[in-house]
Amino acid sequence: MIKTDVTFVTVSYNSGKSLRGAIESCLTAVERYYPDTGKVVVYDNASKDSCPQIIDDFAKRYPKTFIGIKGEQNLGFGKANNKAVAASPSKMYVLVNPDVTFKPEVITQLSATLNSAKDIAIACPKLVYLDRSVQPSIRRFPTFTYFLLKYLLGTNLQSLLYPFDYYYAQMPAPEKVVEINWAIGAFMAVSGEYVARYNLFDERFFLYFEDVSLCVDAWQNGYRVLFEPQATALHLYQRESTNSKLNYLTLLHMISALKFFAKYRPYKKRWQIVIWLLKLNSKFQSTLRLQTSAIAQSLGNNFVSVKRLS
């Protein structure tokens, strides 16, 4: 029987500079609104910085509320989140990146939106940068053509040859709750009932596209994904995967994109060659995963974190 009303879940990986602030935001929300029925779970993906020490500190100070799990290897974002969720069965999960902070009342707004109907699986807040400008965190489901042209030609030429309003940029900013295709997984509230029935992230995605896949699955399972613009969180966002033409995170992003397009129809039918290539290179991908911790350590914090918008 589920006894926890809400569980805040954070996955850390060399996130020592910002992790403490994210945990404190979660604990403050628990203390104010869920003092007896809230939990905070942090799963660390074998960080080499101060994350393990930070986790030990909070576990010692908040033994009844805080659960710290120190992994022996980097499992990836999706799998680590799944393990954290399994550690605390709950009616609602709030996924919080280690570079996100928020005010406690944000949780009551997201909870009200998530519980306003039985067919709502995910509720997402508005994310803002440090300068308070709005992050384009809500997006349309991508197309293969969009990503192919973007990678090959760059954003400017892609927008000329294949206009695609990926970020809803051509629509006015929502002022009330609306349905969206998907939102980035830096901060989202997810129904515990939905997770119990369909699980959380697809563990085939080591990093990137696990949040897109989660939202696609929710829509295909008959649930909705909502955006709550009245709830706001601060996101210290770093786009490591796009800072240069080719780096390790860019490669991970491309691999996850191919896995995504191979998973869903009509992509699956159209791109059978992608599936074949992924199977052919499975050993190569396994080798890349084993190298993730060593290579990504120098890059810092890696985690930055079917229906049209009505």
Side-chain angles (χ1 to χ4, degrees):
M1 181 178 179
I2 295 177
K3 297 182 179 180
T4 303
D5 284 332
V6 61
T7 295
F8 293 87
V9 173
T10 296
V11 170
S12 60
Y13 179 70
N14 293 336
S15 315
K17 293 182 179 180
S18 61
L19 179 60
R20 191 175 294 275
I23 295 175
E24 288 174 347
S25 289
C26 297
L27 287 170
T28 300
V30 169
E31 290 174 347
R32 181 172 299 185
Y33 297 110
Y34 305 94
D36 300 315
T37 59
K39 296 286 185 182
V40 177
V41 180
V42 176
Y43 189 100
D44 183 68
N45 263 329
S47 294
K48 303 301 182 182
D49 65 354
S50 60
C51 286
Q53 290 73 34
I54 292 172
I55 289 174
D56 287 341
D57 177 47
F58 279 104
K60 183 177 180 180
R61 291 163 54 195
Y62 300 92
K64 295 183 179 180
T65 305
F66 183 85
I67 300 173
I69 306 172
K70 293 183 289 185
E72 297 181 354
Q73 59 181 323
N74 188 350
L75 300 179
F77 185 74
K79 190 171 184 178
N81 267 284
N82 290 346
K83 284 188 173 294
V85 163
S88 180
S90 182
K91 296 177 182 177
M92 177 176 73
Y93 299 99
V94 182
L95 311 185
V96 183
N97 264 26
D99 58 354
V100 168
T101 58
F102 57 93
K103 294 182 178 180
E105 54 267 26
V106 168
I107 302 308
T108 62
Q109 294 170 312
L110 289 179
S111 176
T113 300
L114 187 68
N115 295 317
S116 61
K118 291 184 177 181
D119 66 339
I120 301 172
I122 302 167
C124 304
K126 178 169 64 179
L127 299 179
V128 298
Y129 297 115
L130 191 59
D131 63 1
R132 301 298 167 177
S133 60
V134 177
Q135 179 181 359
S137 60
I138 60 173
R139 303 170 186 182
R140 299 186 189 277
F141 292 132
T143 67
F144 186 90
T145 304
Y146 167 75
F147 272 99
L148 181 64
L149 293 180
K150 183 178 179 181
Y151 276 123
L152 293 179
L153 304 177
T155 302
N156 292 334
L157 282 177
Q158 167 266 306
S159 61
L160 289 174
L161 298 175
Y162 183 76
F164 182 68
D165 192 16
Y166 184 53
Y167 296 101
Y168 292 116
Q170 298 175 17
M171 297 187 63
E175 297 181 354
K176 60 182 181 178
V177 177
V178 292
E179 294 178 353
I180 57 173
N181 280 188
W182 72 284
I184 64 172
F187 193 133
M188 55 173 52
V190 185
S191 162
E193 178 182 344
Y194 178 84
V195 172
R197 292 185 64 182
Y198 299 104
N199 299 318
L200 187 63
F201 288 127
D202 185 334
E203 295 181 2
R204 287 175 290 183
F205 299 97
F206 181 79
L207 181 63
Y208 304 120
F209 277 85
E210 67 286 315
D211 43 8
V212 195
S213 180
L214 172 66
C215 293
V216 173
D217 290 343
W219 281 111
Q220 291 189 343
N221 288 326
Y223 286 76
R224 293 185 288 156
V225 180
L226 301 184
F227 175 62
E228 171 53 272
Q230 300 305 313
T232 304
L234 177 65
H235 188 198
L236 304 176
Y237 186 53
Q238 297 181 28
R239 301 184 65 184
E240 284 96 341
S241 66
T242 56
N243 282 340
S244 64
K245 286 291 184 181
L246 183 61
N247 58 39
Y248 180 69
L249 294 179
T250 301
L251 181 60
L252 281 179
H253 193 272
M254 293 172 65
I255 290 173
S256 292
L258 292 176
K259 288 181 178 181
F260 175 82
F261 293 121
K263 177 179 178 180
Y264 297 102
R265 292 183 178 181
Y267 312 122
K268 191 171 183 179
K269 274 189 173 181
R270 191 177 300 170
W271 305 106
Q272 289 296 324
I273 184 64
V274 173
I275 302 173
W276 178 79
L277 287 173
L278 289 175
K279 290 180 178 178
L280 184 66
N281 289 289
S282 60
K283 292 184 179 180
F284 172 69
Q285 293 168 29
S286 297
T287 301
L288 283 179
R289 289 193 178 192
L290 292 175
Q291 296 173 347
T292 298
S293 297
I295 298 176
Q297 182 179 350
S298 63
L299 297 175
N301 180 6
N302 288 349
F303 297 118
V304 296
S305 242
V306 170
K307 194 166 182 175
R308 295 285 179 178
L309 181 125
S310 298

